[in-house]
Every structure is written in C-alpha cells, then in structure tokens.
Amino acid sequence: MYVLYWSRGCGSFAPHAALNQVGASYEQVVVDLDSNQEYTEEFLARNPRAQVPVLTLPDGTIMTESVAMMIHIADCHPASGLLPEVGQTERAIAYRWLVFSVVNLYETGCRIEDTHHYSAKRSDYEGIRAKAHHDLDRYWEIVAEAIGEGPYLLGQRYSAVDICLLMLAQWHPEPDALVERHPNLGRLCDALRKRSAIESIWSLNFP
C-alpha cells in the first residue's frame, strides 16, 4: 500500500489524483503546515527539504517530487493509461510538458509567491516579481498553444500532464483571468474536474 503525506492545496494533489486514477490502495497522512509539522525531525527524515508531498511506496521506499511520483505511479499501473507507453512519441511529449510544468510554470509561480527565496535583499523583490509575472504569462501562452483544440494536451488522450496543468492553473495569481485568456485551458480544467478520480478530492484541496 502507498502512503501519501499531503496537505490541502499543495503539490500532493497531483499524485493523489494519480493514485485515484489508477485505482491504487493508499493511506493518507496529513502534514499540518500551519503548525510547521513539515519541520519536525520525523518529517525531515522523509524529506530534508521540508516539502509536501512525500510518497512511501509499497516496499517502503520514500519518494519526493510530485511529478516523479506521477510517472512512477503510471509506470506501475500501465493499464490505467495515465501515460503513453514507453518508447511512444506521445510519451516523449508527455515528458516534455511534465518537466516544463515543474521547471517553468511552478518555479515562476514560486518567484511571485515566495520571492524571499530568490534574494536576500527586499529591494530586489519588486523586480523579481515583475519579471516572474511577465514570464508566467508567456509560459501559459506556450501551454495554451500546445493544447490547441485539445481537449487535452495530448489531443484526445487524457494523461498525467493534464492533472499537473489543472493543479498549476489553480495556483496562478489570477486563475479566473488565466482561463478567460485561454479558453482551451479552461475547457481542459473543466473536463478534468468532472472526472471521478479528481472530483472526489477536489473540495479537499481547493474548497
């Protein structure tokens, strides 16, 4: 059985949805960020970066990094179709956008929300945020262009990439304005929220 250490509205949403999608057996352990539980000795032994999520695999191995978890879950449950088969061109495309999501969308959002991690000087914050807002707009434009007619990023095929995009869209500083600018992204998000694997955990994460 998997064990998912999670917190509301955090990166744990994506592997949580993936576990639901593949029909895996799992246990949830809440990490209370309000009381700084992520900095306890017990949790730091699982993830020295004090970040949620953490996933314990059935054999006891500990994983961090939500996208890595999703790839592993998909690989362990290939019949779910959460990712295309290894070696297929669609698999390569999925890898591209999963990495793009983490390296560009997520990281740029962090520059806006957690600017203090990017400079020790408060006088730098305004410039860092301004550049991040500009970059984030451009990165979502790139994603919207890739979705095209959709309905999913891989066309007619739903995948782990879509789950990541849904989560990251909720973290945008102005999520409603984002989907208004990119209606195809809005349609993708609407379609995903109706899927049972996601609908059942949506209110837990994004009330």
Side-chain angles (χ1 to χ4, degrees), residues 15-154:
H16 195 173
L19 289 167
N20 279 352
Q21 184 65 43
V22 304
S25 297
Y26 63 90
E27 175 187 348
Q28 295 172 245
V29 177
V30 176
V31 180
D32 186 356
L33 303 184
D34 290 336
S35 63
N36 296 319
Q37 193 174 357
E38 73 273 28
Y39 292 106
T40 62
E41 183 177 348
E42 180 183 3
F43 189 80
L44 288 172
R46 295 185 173 91
N47 187 354
R49 292 202 67 202
Q51 291 180 334
V52 175
V54 170
L55 182 67
T56 303
L57 305 183
D59 67 359
T61 299
I62 291 174
M63 287 192 74
T64 63
E65 313 307 326
S66 57
V67 166
M69 295 174 195
M70 296 181 74
I71 293 172
H72 182 72
I73 292 167
D75 286 345
C76 290
H77 304 271
S80 69
L82 194 58
L83 282 175
E85 292 181 9
V86 173
Q88 290 184 344
T89 298
E90 279 191 326
R91 178 80 169 210
I93 295 170
Y95 283 151
R96 173 193 176 185
W97 292 108
L98 285 170
V99 174
F100 184 93
S101 295
V102 176
V103 173
N104 295 302
L105 296 176
Y106 172 70
E107 189 278 335
T108 305
C110 287
R111 281 190 272 144
I112 296 170
E113 296 297 326
D114 298 307
T115 317
H116 60 285
H117 291 314
Y118 293 84
S119 177
K121 298 179 180 178
R122 286 187 173 273
S123 58
D124 294 339
Y125 290 2
E126 184 177 350
I128 291 171
R129 291 194 186 102
K131 182 62 165 65
H133 279 287
H134 176 272
D135 290 345
L136 193 59
D137 285 346
R138 178 57 186 144
Y139 295 152
W140 276 112
E141 286 177 5
I142 292 171
V143 170
E145 289 169 6
I147 295 171
E149 295 299 318
Y152 306 115
L153 190 131
L154 295 179

